[in-house]
């Protein structure tokens, strides 16, 4: 009977995929297909949980088959992240788009990412205090106790790392290893490696322009091929979101979410407030925030469903350049730096909220101004080197809690609702990197305002 039901579920998934494919053939817009996939995935996942239960063998086996589409799509995106980062930044040098102001661009992007993370920390603190969140309010079950043990073991691997050592970790000791994404800081290392080669290219161009031109043509060829690969993978986005959303809604523990509803609500209140701040920053810069929301929404939805900032990078960069008018060089720097520096959700709000919740267990008054200011500073500094994949928020929390001399074991208290909260955190991380790209382009006066303001109808008429 189980096998039959699994076959039925897989048949339904194939039916939905076929429907999305028909929509694509009819040239229905990408955004509409993404939203359709999201809605169908939610309904299908809830129906599976209603009929079979969260932990049934039918759901487990069905999800294994769905993962061919969902997890497979995420893996394809992660496959092209490093090649895209490397070749895009190198191409920006060969096209002479970063030759004069690379230092200024990098400084502004990092400044915005770290600055908004400090603001996010303040929002996380204020939200925790407003909702009166305390770690003692959460019951510790077997899952929480197991998670606490794992976190204490993990802390031993990172607590002896000083800030200077952490900064050195950003450098590409072995660029070929970093191209595999082997370290949490691999993305930044690849950015630095590409920038070094780009600067070398500029030096060669001055002394030996013929060889430099040959190199530039080779880079352009690789760039064209990789962008084509990115386009092919991104076409699969609606199918990936369908499978990912089905998995999330079919396997979520709604009893745990109900019990920890106060913490989930507080987390999303903080995330939404920070997103509003992104929009306010854009408005202050003279950019229409609603235009940004409409064009960035497919990227944010993917980040929300997939829970991977790294996987969202290709879609992030493409949207910045094609829809928002951000130059390729700035878009790639902002997207790449945003994977490991200044993640507003994972490295900003989450560690700050946890620290405020846990502080009373260590006899610390979280309302003390010195505690609040120190926590914001620690969160901002610790936001360097947070990996843009699942687990980055935990890594950031461990760094902050250990620095503040708070018990790290209590960071595992929210494990039951971690996936649900992580969805919102990841979307905010990606929004932060896109906002940094837009603001940097505006500050350096390189933003194409016509592309930013152009509607889909105007773009279609231009074609």
């Amino acid at each position: 009977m189980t096998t039959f039901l699994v076959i039925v579920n897989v048949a339904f998934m194939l039916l939905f995929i076929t429907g999305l494919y028909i929509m694509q053939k009819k040239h229905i817009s990408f955004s509409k297909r993404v939203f359709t996939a999201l809605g169908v995935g939610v309904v299908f996942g809830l129906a599976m949980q209603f009929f079979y239960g969260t932990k049934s063998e039918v759901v487990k086996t069905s999800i294994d088959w769905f993962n061919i589409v969902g997890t497979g799509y995420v893996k394809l995106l992660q496959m092209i992240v490093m090649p895209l980062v490397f070749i895009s930044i190198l191409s920006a040098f060969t096209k002479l788009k970063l030759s004069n102001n690379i230092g200024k661009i990098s400084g502004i992007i990092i400044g915005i990412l770290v600055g908004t993370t400090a603001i996010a920390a303040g929002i996380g603190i204020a939200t925790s205090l407003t909702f009166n969140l305390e770690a003692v309010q959460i019951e510790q079950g077997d899952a929480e106790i197991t998670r606490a043990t794992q976190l204490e073991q993990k802390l031993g691997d990172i607590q002896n790392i000083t800030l200077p050592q952490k900064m050195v970790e950003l450098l590409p000791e072995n660029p070929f290893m970093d191209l595999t994404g082997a370290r949490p800081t691999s993305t930044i290392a690849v950015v630095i490696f590409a920038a070094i080669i780009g600067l070398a290219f500029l030096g060669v161009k001055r002394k030996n322009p013929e060889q430099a031109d040959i190199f530039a043509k080779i880079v352009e060829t690789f760039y064209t091929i990789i962008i084509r690969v990115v386009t092919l993978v991104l076409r699969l986005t609606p199918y990936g979101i369908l499978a990912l959303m089905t998995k999330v809604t079919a396997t979520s523990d709604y009893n745990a979410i109900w019990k920890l509803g106060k913490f989930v609500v507080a987390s999303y209140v903080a995330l939404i407030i920070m997103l509003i701040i992104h929009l306010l920053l854009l408005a202050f810069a003279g950019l229409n925030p609603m235009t940004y929301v409409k064009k960035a929404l497919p990227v944010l939805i993917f980040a929300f469903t997939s829970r991977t900032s790294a996987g969202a990078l290709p879609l992030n960069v493409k949207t910045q350049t094609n829809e928002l008018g951000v130059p390729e060089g700035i878009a790639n720097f902002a997207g790449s730096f945003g994977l490991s520096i200044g993640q507003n959700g994972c490295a900003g709000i989450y560690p700050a909220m946890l620290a405020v919740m846990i502080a009373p267990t260590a006899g610390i008054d979280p309302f003390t101004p010195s505690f609040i200011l120190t926590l914001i500073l620690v969160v901002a500094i610790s936001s360097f080197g947070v990996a843009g994949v699942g687990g980055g928020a935990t890594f950031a929390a461990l760094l902050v809690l250990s620095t503040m001399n708070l018990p790290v074991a209590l960071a595992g208290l929210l494990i039951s609702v971690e996936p649900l909260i992580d969805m919102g955190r990841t979307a905010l991380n990606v929004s932060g990197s896109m906002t940094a790209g837009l603001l940097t382009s505006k500050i350096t006066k390189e933003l194409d305002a016509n592309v930013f303001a152009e509607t889909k109808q105007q773009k279609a008429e231009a074609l």
Side-chain angles (χ1 to χ4, degrees):
M1 188 64 178
T2 297
T3 303
F4 173 75
L5 293 175
V6 170
I7 292 174
V8 170
N9 291 334
V10 172
F12 271 114
M13 177 59 72
L14 292 174
L15 179 64
F16 298 143
I17 289 174
T18 302
L20 290 172
Y21 179 74
I22 293 173
M23 291 176 69
Q24 180 180 336
K25 284 298 181 181
K26 290 183 176 180
H27 303 291
I28 294 175
S29 71
F30 181 78
S31 297
K32 289 181 180 178
R33 285 184 281 127
V34 167
F35 277 114
T36 300
L38 179 68
V40 172
V42 170
V43 174
F44 187 33
L46 290 174
M48 285 180 59
Q49 182 164 144
F50 177 78
F51 285 110
Y52 309 120
T54 307
K55 299 180 180 179
S56 70
E57 191 64 29
V58 174
V59 170
K60 181 180 178 182
T61 306
S62 298
I63 294 300
D64 280 343
W65 283 100
F66 298 167
N67 281 342
I68 295 175
V69 178
T71 305
Y73 171 62
V74 173
K75 285 185 177 295
L76 287 175
L77 282 169
Q78 292 173 335
M79 170 194 75
I80 59 177
V81 166
M82 291 304 181
L84 176 64
V85 169
F86 177 75
I87 202 69
S88 296
I89 291 175
L90 187 54
S91 174
F93 279 94
T94 58
K95 294 176 181 177
L96 301 180
K97 293 183 177 181
L98 287 171
S99 58
N100 299 321
N101 55 358
I102 179 174
K104 181 180 179 181
I105 288 174
S106 301
I108 294 173
I109 290 173
I110 293 174
I112 292 172
L113 290 171
V114 175
T116 51
T117 299
I119 295 172
I123 290 172
I125 293 169
T127 306
S128 289
L129 294 176
T130 301
F131 279 80
N132 192 29
L133 300 182
E134 293 186 13
V136 294
Q137 298 170 353
I138 304 175
E139 296 180 9
Q140 294 193 51
D142 292 338
E144 286 76 17
I145 293 173
T146 301
R147 181 63 169 166
T149 303
Q150 293 173 346
L151 291 178
E152 287 179 329
Q153 293 173 346
K154 191 173 183 179
L155 178 64
D157 298 330
I158 64 174
Q159 65 182 161
N160 294 323
I161 300 177
T162 63
L163 180 60
Q165 291 173 334
K166 194 175 177 184
M167 295 179 71
V168 170
E169 283 293 310
L170 300 176
L171 299 176
E173 177 184 359
N174 185 341
F176 298 101
M177 180 184 73
D178 285 322
L179 282 168
T180 68
R183 302 185 299 151
T185 56
S186 284
T187 307
I188 299 299
V190 169
V191 171
I192 295 173
F193 180 57
I196 291 172
I197 294 181
L199 292 171
F201 164 81
L202 296 177
V204 172
K205 187 174 181 64
R206 286 191 296 269
K207 297 181 179 180
N208 197 332
E210 291 183 2
Q211 289 187 349
D213 288 341
I214 294 173
F215 180 77
K217 290 179 180 178
I218 293 173
V219 170
E220 183 61 24
T221 300
F222 276 102
Y223 177 80
T224 303
I225 296 295
I226 289 175
I227 289 300
R228 180 58 182 170
V229 174
V230 169
T231 301
L232 292 174
V233 175
L234 289 182
R235 286 180 179 175
L236 303 174
T237 299
Y239 312 107
I241 286 180
L242 168 66
L244 290 167
M245 207 64 219
T246 300
K247 176 182 178 180
V248 169
T249 52
T251 58
S252 293
D253 186 347
Y254 294 104
N255 287 328
I257 293 172
W258 177 259
K259 291 178 182 178
L260 296 172
K262 181 179 179 182
F263 300 92
V264 175
V265 170
S267 296
Y268 272 90
V269 166
L271 293 170
I272 291 171
I273 291 174
M274 191 60 211
L275 180 60
I276 292 173
I277 287 179
H278 288 171
L279 301 182
L280 289 175
L281 289 173
L282 294 175
F284 291 149
L287 300 172
N288 189 328
M290 294 312 299
T291 299
Y292 165 75
V293 170
K294 290 177 183 178
K295 295 188 173 184
L297 203 54
V299 189
L300 302 183
I301 288 174
F302 171 75
F304 183 85
T305 54
S306 66
R307 295 170 54 201
T308 164
S309 301
L313 180 63
L315 194 57
N316 178 345
V317 172
K318 184 177 181 180
T319 300
Q320 284 192 62
T321 54
N322 295 352
E323 302 291 337
L324 298 175
V326 178
E328 290 178 8
I330 294 178
N332 279 284
F333 265 76
S336 302
F337 279 136
L339 296 184
S340 298
I341 295 176
Q343 294 192 341
N344 291 181
C346 289
I349 288 175
Y350 184 67
M353 290 185 72
L354 276 181
V356 172
M357 290 168 56
I358 294 171
T361 65
I364 299 173
D365 182 4
F367 287 91
T368 305
S370 60
F371 172 81
I372 293 174
L373 292 175
T374 302
L375 178 57
I376 292 175
L377 181 62
V378 168
V379 168
I381 294 174
S382 299
S383 68
F384 283 82
V386 176
V389 294
T394 301
F395 181 78
L398 288 177
L399 287 173
V400 171
L401 294 178
S402 61
T403 303
M404 298 293 292
N405 294 317
L406 297 173
V408 297
L410 295 178
L413 291 175
L414 300 178
I415 184 175
S416 299
V417 293
E418 182 76 12
L420 179 62
I421 297 174
D422 195 43
M423 294 166 73
R425 290 194 309 238
T426 307
L428 185 66
N429 293 341
V430 173
S431 177
S433 70
M434 296 178 77
T435 300
L438 272 168
L439 293 177
T440 301
S441 301
K442 186 70 174 179
I443 292 170
T444 58
K445 299 180 179 180
E446 296 186 48
L447 180 71
D448 190 330
N450 292 328
V451 173
F452 179 84
E454 188 178 35
T455 64
K456 291 181 179 178
Q457 183 177 353
Q458 291 171 332
K459 185 176 289 188
E461 290 173 353
L463 296 174

